[in-house]
Amino acid sequence: MSAITATLGPVMAGVPVTKSQNFSRLSVKSLKASSEIGSLASQMSGVKISTTQFLKIAAAPISSPLRPSLQPVARRICPFTGKKANKANLVSHSNHRTIKRQFVNLQYKRIWWEAGKRYVKLRLSTKAIKTIEKNGLDAVAKKAGIDLRKK
């Protein structure tokens, strides 16, 4: 491992410096400097800088956190039809426009799944409920690409 030499200025130390002080004496290589840096570190609330930590971080592979494949329930999107909120303008008499959101009419619905011989609780738009009543749950789920066995 290589030795790091650093020169600390008056701003980093937080101590006012006169013109007669010599900054070269703050070199990490000298024994006198290590004691001065130790006192500076104690003035800096015990913050320690280590090169080994930086090497470990650089060597470690960067990976993203594990994310579930299912969408969160709180999203205001129908999983079967893909319907989501619309932006609209409220226009007053003076033609002043205010943006408002028109959300999808999502309902929690327990639907009998014939192939699975059980009820499936889903959060659907009212349009999706009508489509499921007309075409059946399996056909609509297959068209939307949703696997009902996971839920």
Side-chain angles (χ1 to χ4, degrees):
M1 201 177 288
S2 63
I4 297 176
T5 58
T7 304
L8 298 175
V11 177
M12 293 179 71
V15 180
V17 177
T18 61
K19 290 182 180 178
S20 63
Q21 287 179 334
N22 186 4
F23 292 120
S24 64
R25 64 188 174 109
L26 292 177
S27 172
V28 176
K29 289 182 179 177
S30 68
L31 190 60
K32 184 178 176 184
S34 63
S35 65
E36 289 180 4
I37 289 177
S39 66
L40 288 176
S42 65
Q43 290 177 359
M44 296 171 63
S45 303
V47 176
K48 293 183 180 180
I49 299 174
S50 173
T51 57
T52 56
Q53 292 176 348
F54 293 122
L55 293 175
K56 287 179 184 176
I57 293 171
I62 299 172
S63 63
S64 62
L66 295 176
R67 295 184 181 206
S69 61
L70 299 175
Q71 293 180 351
V73 178
R75 292 185 66 184
R76 293 178 176 169
I77 298 175
C78 177
F80 284 85
T81 60
K83 287 183 172 283
K84 53 186 171 182
N86 185 35
K87 283 188 181 177
N89 285 321
L90 287 174
V91 183
S92 67
H93 179 69
S94 65
N95 208 21
H96 180 76
R97 294 162 195 265
T98 306
I99 296 176
K100 84 172 220 178
R101 300 289 303 259
Q102 296 172 338
F103 292 109
V104 183
N105 188 6
L106 293 176
Q107 305 292 324
Y108 284 100
K109 183 78 174 168
R110 224 177 55 143
I111 300 174
W112 177 254
W113 180 33
E114 192 64 38
K117 303 289 188 217
R118 64 181 175 99
Y119 280 100
V120 180
K121 188 176 181 182
L122 301 168
R123 190 177 188 211
L124 305 169
S125 64
T126 51
K127 179 71 175 178
I129 293 171
K130 289 170 121 179
T131 308
I132 288 170
E133 287 176 0
K134 181 180 178 184
N135 300 332
L137 182 61
D138 284 327
V140 177
K142 185 177 179 182
K143 186 176 180 182
I146 295 175
D147 187 15
L148 295 172
R149 289 178 288 165
K150 295 178 185 177
K151 296 182 181 184

